[in-house]
Amino acid sequence: MVGPSTGGTRWSVVVSLLVAAAMAAIAFITVQQAGCPNPGQYVARGDGYELVGGCVEPNDLPIAPDTVPAPQPASDARSPLRP
């Protein structure tokens, strides 16, 4: 009896490696063409870190919608959890 063919396995490995190499090349080219001369740096400030410099402007960031706080239940001396 003849064992299973390994040709299909080799083919899938070769294709996977070619796809990975192509994606790495695309990522490298994208980073090279980003065009940001000052990548910025993180500086420790008080209770955290702040990004100083860089190519991101405040107007580039989306604004989060205003959240409405959930209504608080009325304080009742007779709580259903207490006897």
Side-chain angles (χ1 to χ4, degrees), residues 23-74:
M23 291 175 67
I26 291 170
F28 182 77
I29 292 169
T30 301
V31 169
Q32 291 297 321
Q33 293 180 353
C36 183
N38 178 12
Q41 60 184 359
Y42 285 99
V43 177
R45 307 269 176 151
D47 62 344
Y49 290 91
E50 180 180 349
L51 178 63
V52 177
C55 296
V56 178
E57 297 293 328
N59 294 335
D60 295 338
L61 302 174
I63 298 174
D66 291 334
T67 58
V68 178
Q72 298 296 323

Side-chain angles (χ1 to χ4, degrees), residues 15 28 81:
V15 170
F28 182 77
L81 301 177

Side-chain angles (χ1 to χ4, degrees), residues 73-83:
S75 62
D76 186 7
R78 297 180 339 151
S79 173
L81 301 177
R82 292 187 183 175

